[in-house]
Amino acid sequence: MKISDLDLSRIPTHIAAVMDGNGRWAESRKLPRTEGHTAGEQSLMDVLEGADDLGVKWFTVFAFSTENWARPSEEVKFLLNFNEKILLERRDELNERNVRIRFIGRRNRQVPRRLIRRMEETENLTKGNTGLTFTIAFNYGGRAEIVDAVKRIIDEGMSAERINEKTISRHLYDPTIPDPDLVIRTSGEYRVSNFLLWEIAYSELIFSETLWPDFRREDLFTAVKEYQDRDRRYGGVSET
């Protein structure tokens, strides 16, 4: 699939991705699971560049969930260091591409303070960029986000009568992010796994059999083509 095969007037504004299958990719090659995450970095950069070339305005990835702390300690340690390594090695490259980098998720005591500083440095470095906004969901859970939003509303002393859907949306981790038009999950798993639960109410979901380390921009273009072939009705009926 090539960009020329797509209708460039109907590109999704916001694409989100669950980058699944890194561990299985490595195990199928009799490699340590961590090698799958390393291979997945190349996929991420290729897909990001493809999204930027398409004119996608927002791209969000699930990098580390609130449930990932339950993984083996060595893998958790690797993932924390690996995410810091990606920031240090890739943020200048993305900054040169005019990409703005943002983070959503809990920045609590579980996350090493050093990594939080890297995240803040990266946000400050790229905050003036006007191209693609690349959002990294780190120490993130969809249910946790809703709980934290409700807590902030309560802390503000808002009465129940004043609370509606817009109130919840305004208190999410980053209320400036538009709801995803398209969510892609790789590796043949057919679930959303606590990712952007509030935001994906009307998103188109596409599940790819491809393991994330093998996923490339051409696979992204194929997903966008399938998205363009769908009829988005938002609970209504088709005009056709």
Side-chain angles (χ1 to χ4, degrees):
M1 182 67 67
K2 304 183 295 296
I3 288 181
S4 58
D5 297 320
L6 301 173
D7 180 352
L8 297 183
S9 69
R10 298 176 54 235
I11 298 298
T13 298
H14 181 186
I15 298 176
V18 180
M19 306 178 293
D20 197 25
N22 294 326
R24 276 171 285 164
W25 182 91
E27 290 168 353
S28 69
R29 291 162 174 75
K30 302 188 185 306
L31 298 170
R33 285 176 56 86
T34 53
E35 289 299 315
H37 298 298
T38 301
E41 177 188 351
Q42 297 299 322
S43 297
L44 174 59
M45 295 306 298
D46 190 66
V47 169
L48 273 179
E49 290 176 5
D52 194 27
D53 291 344
L54 275 180
V56 174
K57 299 300 183 185
W58 300 75
F59 198 96
T60 300
V61 298
F62 207 177
F64 191 90
S65 77
T66 50
E67 290 76 29
N68 285 158
W69 297 104
R71 291 189 177 190
S73 58
E74 285 302 310
E75 185 173 359
V76 170
K77 182 179 179 181
F78 172 85
L79 287 172
L80 294 176
N81 292 332
F82 179 65
N83 279 281
E84 180 180 11
K85 170 179 172 289
I86 290 179
L87 287 181
L88 292 174
E89 293 184 355
R90 297 294 191 174
R91 65 186 181 188
D92 289 337
E93 177 183 346
L94 292 171
N95 186 44
E96 290 176 1
R97 286 187 67 101
N98 197 31
V99 172
R100 182 175 62 151
I101 304 174
R102 306 289 293 275
F103 296 86
I104 55 173
R106 288 177 169 172
R107 302 188 190 187
N108 55 20
R109 287 180 296 176
Q110 282 184 298
V111 183
R113 184 61 202 171
R114 182 190 71 253
L115 181 52
I116 292 177
R117 285 199 303 270
R118 301 298 190 199
M119 293 161 63
E120 292 171 346
E121 291 168 1
T122 301
E123 287 179 324
N124 287 330
L125 173 69
T126 64
K127 65 182 180 181
N129 292 343
T130 57
L132 172 73
T133 295
F134 173 39
T135 303
I136 301 169
F138 186 86
N139 195 24
Y140 174 88
R143 290 181 174 179
E145 181 177 31
I146 296 170
V147 168
D148 290 346
V150 172
K151 286 180 177 179
R152 283 192 287 273
I153 293 169
I154 292 172
D155 287 343
E156 292 176 8
M158 189 174 296
S159 65
E161 292 75 17
R162 294 177 55 200
I163 298 173
N164 53 33
E165 291 185 13
K166 291 182 179 179
T167 309
I168 301 291
S169 295
R170 286 198 307 268
H171 289 81
L172 298 176
Y173 291 140
D174 186 349
T176 69
I177 299 177
D179 291 344
D181 300 294
L182 169 62
V183 178
I184 302 168
R185 180 171 185 148
T186 58
S187 85
E189 300 290 351
Y190 293 81
R191 56 183 180 271
V192 296
S193 294
N194 202 18
F195 185 44
L196 301 177
L197 295 182
W198 181 271
E199 297 90 339
I200 65 173
Y202 285 102
S203 302
E204 294 297 323
L205 308 180
I206 290 180
F207 300 96
S208 169
E209 296 294 326
T210 305
L211 300 175
W212 179 255
D214 293 326
F215 199 86
R216 290 294 185 272
R217 69 181 71 191
E218 292 80 11
D219 301 291
L220 173 69
F221 299 159
T222 298
V224 171
K225 181 64 169 64
E226 182 175 342
Y227 164 86
Q228 292 183 343
D229 289 340
R230 294 186 182 181
D231 180 16
R232 304 188 74 196
R233 296 187 297 275
Y234 299 97
V237 295
S238 174
E239 294 182 358
T240 59

